């Protein structure tokens, strides 16, 4: 948050859940998303950083991209889940966002809070 924090008008913390989770108010994924967002928002607010949370439903990349473009978001910061074949590969959500979303994207490495470099052979580098 030190990168955007105090210069930001508002930070939106968003989590995408699949449609099935949104249909059932007590679905585990919905509860986990709500708790995670509430904890992150509380941390930011204690630092005086304005934020709000948003739980979105649908396919993650398309849903995040649509939300960001619809609300004129300045940047999307996402965490890489680390499920790729190697540490150099971007995950499927990150790849789809970089290929189809007009909003700038920063990808953080899992657990370190550091930007993940985009591989040289990735379409963004061409």
């Amino acid at each position: 948050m030190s990168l955007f924090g105090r210069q930001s008008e508002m930070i939106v913390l968003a989590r995408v859940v699949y449609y099935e989770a949104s249909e059932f108010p007590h679905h585990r994924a919905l509860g986990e998303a709500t708790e995670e967002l509430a904890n992150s928002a509380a941390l930011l607010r204690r630092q005086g950083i304005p934020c709000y949370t948003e739980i979105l439903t649908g396919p993650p990349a398309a849903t995040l991209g649509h939300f960001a473009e619809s609300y004129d978001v300045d940047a999307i910061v996402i965490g890489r889940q680390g499920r790729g074949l190697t540490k150099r590969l971007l995950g499927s959500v990150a790849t789809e966002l970089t290929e189809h979303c007009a909003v700038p994207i920063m990808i953080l490495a899992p657990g370190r809070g550091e930007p993940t470099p985009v591989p040289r052979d990735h379409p963004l580098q061409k």
Side-chain angles (χ1 to χ4, degrees):
M1 287 291 113
S2 61
L3 181 62
F4 296 105
R6 305 215 189 282
Q7 289 101 31
S8 298
E9 183 177 318
M10 176 67 67
I11 292 179
V12 180
L13 301 172
R15 180 84 184 263
V16 180
V17 296
Y18 283 97
Y19 295 113
E20 298 82 23
S22 66
E23 293 175 3
F24 303 101
H26 300 294
H27 194 283
R28 190 176 108 208
L30 197 55
E32 289 173 358
T34 301
E35 183 177 344
E36 180 182 297
L37 290 173
N39 291 338
S40 297
L43 180 70
L44 291 177
R45 289 180 183 127
R46 281 195 298 272
Q47 297 176 42
I49 299 171
C51 65
Y52 75 93
T53 62
E54 194 75 45
I55 295 180
L56 309 169
T57 58
T63 302
L64 281 173
H66 178 72
F67 178 85
E69 291 170 357
S70 296
Y71 288 92
D72 198 26
V73 169
D74 293 324
I76 297 173
V77 180
I78 62 170
R80 184 172 64 88
Q81 295 297 315
R83 295 185 197 140
L85 297 174
T86 72
K87 290 184 179 184
R88 291 186 42 83
L89 294 177
L90 299 177
S92 60
V93 173
T95 298
E96 189 174 334
L97 277 169
T98 58
E99 292 175 354
H100 301 288
C101 185
V103 176
I105 298 160
M106 177 180 287
I107 303 161
L108 301 180
R112 296 191 315 205
E114 299 171 6
T116 299
V118 177
R120 289 186 183 180
D121 60 344
H122 193 275
L124 284 178
Q125 298 290 356
K126 296 178 182 175

